[in-house]
């Protein structure tokens, strides 16, 4: 599904056989398509860089039409260059909570307690491995953690730290 709007970052929810977006501002994202959301992760995001202030607005803009407004984002501060406490995205304040947890995820909160957990694919990952990891992340009721998915797809979890960029 292409949610591209003129003058805006484009967002893609990729089916298994989709070609990767080639636009440099494309948001590469997969979400589990079942309503149950019983898996260990709810999807995967492959940011283009570790610049959170540059990458997060595109993710939020791409997700909002599909899951509703995002109020908070929780993430591993060691995986990003410069983590702001909040961002204004499409005239909406999004609070950013960060901790050095090393868990290869980003947690998006809509409403008071509704969390979406996305596997974060390191920006420099091999496209074939990234595609395999994103496919694993959206398996209904999948039990693999983000770190297990990265290991099984041979994407080194250690490449998610900011000093590997």
């Amino acid at each position: 599904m292409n949610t591209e709007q003129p003058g805006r970052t484009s967002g893609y929810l990729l089916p298994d056989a989709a070609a990767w977006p080639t636009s440099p501002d494309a948001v590469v994202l997969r979400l589990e398509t079942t309503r149950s959301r019983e898996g260990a992760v709810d999807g995967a995001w492959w940011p283009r860089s570790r610049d959170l202030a540059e990458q997060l607005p595109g993710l939020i803009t791409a997700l909002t039409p599909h899951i509703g407004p995002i109020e908070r984002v929780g993430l591993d501060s060691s995986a990003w260059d410069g983590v702001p406490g909040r961002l204004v995205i499409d005239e909406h304040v999004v609070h950013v909570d960060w901790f050095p947890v090393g868990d290869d995820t980003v947690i998006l909160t809509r409403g008071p307690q509704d969390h979406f957990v996305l596997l974060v694919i390191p920006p420099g990952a091999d496209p074939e491995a990234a595609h395999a990891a994103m496919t694993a992340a959206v398996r209904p009721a999948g039990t693999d953690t983000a770190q297990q998915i990265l290991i099984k797809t041979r994407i080194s979890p250690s490449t998610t730290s900011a000093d590997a960029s």
Side-chain angles (χ1 to χ4, degrees), residues 55-124:
Q55 298 297 304
L56 191 58
L59 174 66
I60 300 298
T61 299
L63 279 174
T64 298
H66 301 284
I67 66 172
I70 305 298
E71 295 179 11
R72 300 191 91 72
V73 175
L75 50 84
D76 177 4
S77 60
S78 66
W80 299 97
D81 297 334
V83 180
R86 68 185 183 105
L87 290 169
V88 177
I89 302 170
D90 297 330
E91 300 178 16
H92 180 76
V93 175
V94 177
H95 298 276
V96 180
D97 300 322
W98 46 272
F99 304 95
V101 293
D103 68 354
D104 308 306
T105 64
V106 63
I107 301 170
L108 307 164
T109 304
R110 65 174 190 182
Q113 305 233 348
D114 190 10
H115 305 290
F116 283 81
V117 179
L118 300 180
L119 162 67
V120 177
I121 307 293

Side-chain angles (χ1 to χ4, degrees), residues 9 24 48-59 87:
T9 300
R48 302 294 180 144
S49 76
R50 297 189 189 288
D51 183 343
L52 188 67
E54 178 184 290
Q55 298 297 304
L56 191 58
L59 174 66
L87 290 169

